[in-house]
Amino acid sequence: MGAEAGSQSAVDIFVIGGGINGCGIARDAAGRGLSVRLAEQGDLAQATSSASTKLFHGGLRYLEYFEFRLVREALQERETLLLAMPHISWPMRFVLPLHPGMRFETKTPTSRLLTAVMPWMRGRRPAWVIRLGLFLYDHLGGRRILPGTRTLDLRSDPAGRALRGEFTRAYEYSDCWVQDSRLVVLNARDAARRGAEILTRTRVTAARREGGLWTVDMSGPEGETRCHARALVNAAGPWAGEVIRDTLGRQGGASVRLVRGSHIVTRKLFDHDRSYIFQGRDGRIIFAIPYEQDFTLIGTTDQDHEGDPSEAVCTPAEQDYLCAFASEYFARPVTRADIVWSYSGVRPLYDDGARSATAATRDYVLRLDDRGAPLLNVFGGKITTYRRLAEHALEKLAPFFPAAGATWTAGVALPGGDFPHDGVAALQARLVADYPFLTKSWAARLIRAYGTETWLVLGEARAAADLGEDFGGTLTGAEVRWLLREEYARSAEDILWRRTRLGLRLDAAGVAALEASIAAQREET
Ligand SMILES: Cc1cc2nc3c(=O)[nH]c(=O)nc-3n(C[C@H](O)[C@H](O)[C@H](O)COP(=O)(O)OP(=O)(O)OC[C@H]3O[C@@H](n4cnc5c(N)ncnc54)[C@H](O)[C@@H]3O)c2cc1C
């Protein structure tokens, strides 16, 4: 064992896992005046938190499972989060085409209820049930910013153009988009600003209770290190069960159900800024979402996952499933040849014993073990509910930290998000006035990534050449330096697939140049 990092002074809270839940908890705790250390075995958001559908949503379909608590909390959160990060998240309208073949997943509480009172429906999901669901969706969580549901005539509305002629009517409702991996890194940065120590590429290898504290062993860039903490939070997502079993050496207790979800990305399939939500014959739904200006994101699947969560990929069968599902709706069939990229993530769901992967609860469960120094295990959760999950986690730990501050994160902007929720266009116009060499789409990308911090990224540049090397896709040396210095990026992959999504645009030469530039900067330091 090498240096005993921090052994003299134990931190209040040690967090295992740099996904959205770990980083959200670290930020909340640091803002309450607690000392916090977080260890992530790879890059921030390298697992599930960069592989989501990227929606701040109430989860319309969870209403069919009567998950009212989750839906209500998530609906309320949409606007709270939008106000705190108007750069990386924005309102989005969803078009839900109607047709008589729509079906429930057979065993949802709603389908069982309807089958009992209206057996002739035979599992069909009638339009009036959807409208009722959308009425609840509009009113359960209180809306001030997002517009409510309306009905569309797809024969005249531009949203109908990309769809097959049989779809003539649709409902349109609101949810929000969020850049998931940027959400994680901004939470980590804000936690660090408030005093938290964020360690990436640092795996927790063992932890045990000793003398009223947790002793935590880590393996990272500094070699093998050890530290002490008053409380331990297991926010290891899909690895939460493994951490309990192997890292903490505990048997039994709650378990995690690993449910894989995959997405495909195609070139742009339609020319407007609304998304589609499609209902399948199997009772499932998928989304088709405008993505990164020139692409369409389609997903997701629901498959129980065996094996290492980090090895999840979108299988050929899942690709075919998504293509066939989308082709039931789009006028032009979607085929494997349209796919430019795919990704897959594993939902770390609380195992509630549900039969199907689709039915397993998406709500989160926090389990406190206070037989000695406290251990808080986090199961499940949504990107959308991360802030509330963090508040609940701190509530559970409050008895051990009587001097900790009160809840504070609602209404406090994340880095770069300190401007009005409808102020993106004005901010972008100001950016282009200050840096006239930026193209419109370049400026839009920067504002959507860095918000008011874009000026710090670009600095004194007066021409594109002042930003240093051009890697392609508008990625420059200045932005790369910012990401390495301020956002915990260490590799080309961190930059291309998590801090940005420019991996969709850079060619092999650009990636090689980026790798060489990062290696050179590493040697300098
Ligand atoms: C396909 C899909 C679509 C989704 N879509 C949405 C959506 O649209 N909206 C929404 O709200 N939610 C969505 N979700 C849910 C959401 O993405 C997850 O609930 C959330 O990202 C889980 O975050 P987490 O922090 O718990 O886990 P993770 O992001 O997986 O983070 C856990 C981290 O712990 C680290 N770790 C594990 N073991 C150790 C160790 N020993 N030492 C150090 N670090 C360790 C891992 O490397 C990992 O980075 C979706 C999920 C999936 C899979």
Side-chain angles (χ1 to χ4, degrees):
M1 181 67 52
E4 293 219 348
S7 61
Q8 308 82 344
S9 55
V11 292
D12 290 325
I13 298 185
F14 190 103
V15 181
I16 306 176
I20 190 53
N21 288 326
C23 292
I25 291 169
R27 176 190 186 225
D28 192 329
R32 292 175 198 242
L34 299 174
S35 56
V36 178
R37 183 169 295 144
L38 177 148
E40 161 55 50
Q41 64 185 351
D43 181 28
L44 295 172
Q46 73 161 13
T48 318
S49 297
S50 60
S52 79
T53 311
K54 305 166 204 323
L55 301 178
F56 281 153
H57 65 156
L60 186 56
R61 76 173 191 86
Y62 310 145
L63 285 176
E64 289 182 3
Y65 292 89
F66 295 170
E67 295 236 31
F68 294 112
R69 194 215 74 78
L70 170 65
V71 176
R72 189 183 165 78
E73 183 175 86
L75 286 171
Q76 285 167 342
E77 273 303 277
R78 293 180 309 184
E79 294 195 7
T80 305
L81 297 173
L82 195 59
L83 290 169
M85 54 196 88
H87 49 338
I88 61 163
S89 74
W90 54 91
M92 202 173 245
R93 296 289 285 171
F94 287 78
V95 176
L96 190 160
L98 301 169
H99 70 95
M102 298 174 306
R103 292 210 129 54
F104 287 113
E105 214 222 354
T106 46
K107 295 285 185 277
T108 69
T110 308
S111 74
R112 275 203 229 109
L113 185 68
L114 275 184
T115 306
V117 292
M118 291 189 287
W120 61 90
M121 294 300 298
R122 292 166 206 256
R124 280 205 306 278
R125 189 194 265 147
W128 65 265
V129 169
I130 296 174
R131 189 65 191 84
L132 182 65
L134 285 167
F135 176 83
L136 284 176
Y137 207 70
D138 277 348
H139 293 94
L140 258 182
R143 276 175 306 108
R144 283 153 299 154
I145 300 170
L146 301 173
T149 300
R150 64 177 186 136
T151 306
L152 301 183
D153 181 345
L154 293 175
R155 288 165 302 191
S156 53
D157 191 285
R161 253 179 250 148
L163 302 180
R164 284 158 63 155
E166 68 216 65
F167 300 104
T168 56
R169 219 156 62 89
Y171 293 133
E172 185 192 281
Y173 69 94
S174 290
D175 263 322
C176 298
W177 173 261
V178 61
Q179 304 194 56
D180 53 4
S181 42
R182 292 210 55 75
L183 174 70
V184 177
V185 80
L186 294 184
N187 271 276
R189 286 186 54 217
D190 204 49
R193 274 186 191 177
R194 297 170 196 278
E197 190 183 351
I198 307 291
L199 306 170
T200 63
R201 267 93 183 168
T202 303
R203 179 176 159 74
V204 174
T205 51
R208 62 201 159 276
R209 289 180 169 118
E210 275 174 350
L213 295 173
W214 280 98
T215 297
V216 183
D217 292 341
M218 295 167 284
S219 173
E222 314 290 321
E224 310 294 311
T225 53
R226 174 171 292 171
C227 78
H228 302 280
R230 291 184 186 86
L232 185 67
V233 173
N234 169 13
W239 291 268
E242 189 182 303
V243 163
I244 294 172
R245 205 179 47 247
D246 301 342
T247 315
L248 307 175
R250 279 155 195 276
Q251 302 303 321
S255 66
V256 191
R257 179 167 183 176
L258 300 182
V259 176
R260 187 173 72 243
S262 298
H263 291 82
I264 55 174
V265 174
T266 66
R267 293 248 154 238
K268 205 166 172 169
L269 297 176
F270 50 90
D271 210 8
H272 55 77
D273 60 2
R274 288 174 282 174
S275 294
Y276 294 99
I277 170 169
F278 296 146
Q279 306 173 80
R281 292 175 198 280
D282 55 0
R284 295 196 61 256
I285 55 105
I286 60 164
F287 295 101
I289 301 174
Y291 187 54
E292 296 291 319
Q293 301 185 20
D294 298 319
F295 302 90
T296 300
L297 175 66
I298 300 175
T300 171
T301 56
D302 265 320
Q303 297 267 309
D304 279 311
H305 183 77
E306 307 282 336
D308 187 340
S310 61
E311 284 166 11
V313 290
C314 180
T315 62
E318 286 176 296
Q319 293 184 14
D320 288 343
Y321 170 83
L322 291 171
C323 288
F325 200 142
S327 300
E328 298 253 345
Y329 283 83
F330 284 120
R332 192 179 76 70
V334 183
T335 69
R336 270 208 223 169
D338 293 309
I339 300 175
V340 295
W341 183 53
S342 66
Y343 64 86
S344 193
V346 177
R347 301 176 183 88
L349 304 182
Y350 178 71
D351 194 352
D352 60 354
R355 231 171 29 102
S356 81
T358 309
T361 183
R362 264 54 175 172
D363 210 346
Y364 55 83
V365 173
L366 302 174
R367 282 281 151 85
L368 181 71
D369 170 352
D370 56 2
R371 292 165 290 176
L375 163 69
L376 187 70
N377 289 306
V378 176
F379 301 101
K382 305 282 298 168
I383 296 265
T384 315
T385 48
Y386 87 93
R387 195 195 63 82
R388 292 288 289 141
L389 182 151
E391 280 182 349
H392 285 136
L394 269 295
E395 222 170 79
K396 293 249 182 210
L397 293 171
F400 306 95
F401 301 103
T407 55
W408 64 276
T409 50
V412 178
L414 284 177
D418 49 342
F419 65 96
H421 72 87
D422 53 358
V424 159
L427 203 63
Q428 196 176 314
R430 190 150 68 79
L431 186 72
V432 174
D434 289 349
Y435 300 95
F437 59 86
L438 294 176
T439 60
K440 202 171 157 214
S441 60
W442 187 358
R445 181 181 74 75
L446 291 173
I447 289 293
R448 282 303 186 190
Y450 307 107
T452 55
E453 291 192 324
T454 309
W455 280 259
L456 300 177
V457 177
L458 301 182
E460 301 294 311
R462 299 188 161 262
D466 296 337
L467 295 173
E469 207 167 343
D470 175 4
F471 299 100
T474 70
L475 182 67
T476 64
E479 188 173 350
V480 169
R481 272 196 304 284
W482 168 271
L483 294 172
L484 295 175
R485 196 182 63 229
E486 302 289 339
E487 297 202 356
Y488 305 97
R490 293 288 171 272
S491 72
E493 191 190 311
D494 300 351
I495 289 175
L496 295 177
W497 294 109
R498 285 180 287 274
R499 302 308 179 280
T500 73
R501 299 279 169 172
L502 290 172
L504 286 166
R505 296 180 192 277
L506 254 65
D507 59 18
V511 176
L514 178 60
E515 280 166 353
S517 168
I518 293 170
Q521 292 184 54
R522 214 180 280 135
E523 257 172 39
E524 272 170 31
T525 53

